[in-house]
């Protein structure tokens, strides 16, 4: 009988964890050290590209900044912090024409 390989561990949604942490942060912004600490508590592994390759299937660049660039709606206001892009939703529908039937 052939030995079967153990099932692959489930892939962690690292980007989703980062976004959840920032959504709950004051001002939706954290310093990198605070983000790393929160991520390690939430995910159980370091926020590093080596750990992301192992646990989340990350295949990008070797720097953490390369991973952070892949997370949608994330911005780096300065080199030591990360935040969620603020969207102005007040005028989101101002220019939209009403949809109706032609007479």
């Amino acid at each position: 009988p052939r030995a079967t390989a153990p099932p692959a561990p489930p892939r962690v949604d690292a980007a989703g964890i980062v976004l959840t942490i920032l959504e709950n942060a004051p001002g939706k912004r954290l310093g990198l050290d605070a983000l790393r600490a929160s991520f390690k508590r939430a995910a159980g592994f370091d926020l590093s590209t080596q750990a992301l390759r192992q646990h989340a299937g990350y295949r990008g660049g070797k720097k953490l900044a390369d991973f952070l660039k892949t997370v949608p709606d994330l911005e780096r206001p300065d080199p030591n912090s990360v935040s969620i892009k603020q969207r102005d939703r007040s005028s989101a529908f101002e220019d939209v024409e009403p949809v109706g039937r032609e007479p």
Side-chain angles (χ1 to χ4, degrees):
R2 291 176 55 174
T4 57
R11 293 289 185 200
V12 174
D13 178 14
I17 293 171
V18 167
L19 288 172
T20 299
I21 290 168
L22 289 171
E23 279 288 343
N24 295 310
K28 300 191 185 314
R29 178 178 179 159
L30 280 178
L32 270 180
D33 290 340
L35 177 62
R36 285 177 188 268
S38 295
F39 185 90
K40 187 165 186 169
R41 281 193 301 274
F45 61 91
D46 289 329
L47 183 58
S48 68
T49 54
Q50 183 177 355
L52 289 167
R53 288 179 204 287
Q54 182 180 354
H55 299 285
Y58 175 66
R59 300 279 180 249
K62 295 183 188 246
K63 296 179 182 176
L64 181 57
D66 295 325
F67 166 72
L68 293 173
K69 288 176 188 172
T70 69
V71 180
D73 295 329
L74 208 66
E75 62 184 0
R76 303 281 306 273
D78 61 67
N80 295 315
S81 63
V82 182
S83 67
I84 292 180
K85 289 180 186 172
Q86 299 297 317
R87 293 191 193 127
D88 179 15
R89 296 189 175 135
S90 61
S91 61
F93 297 103
E94 272 182 16
D95 299 331
V96 176
E97 292 293 321
V99 176
R101 297 183 191 183
E102 292 293 321

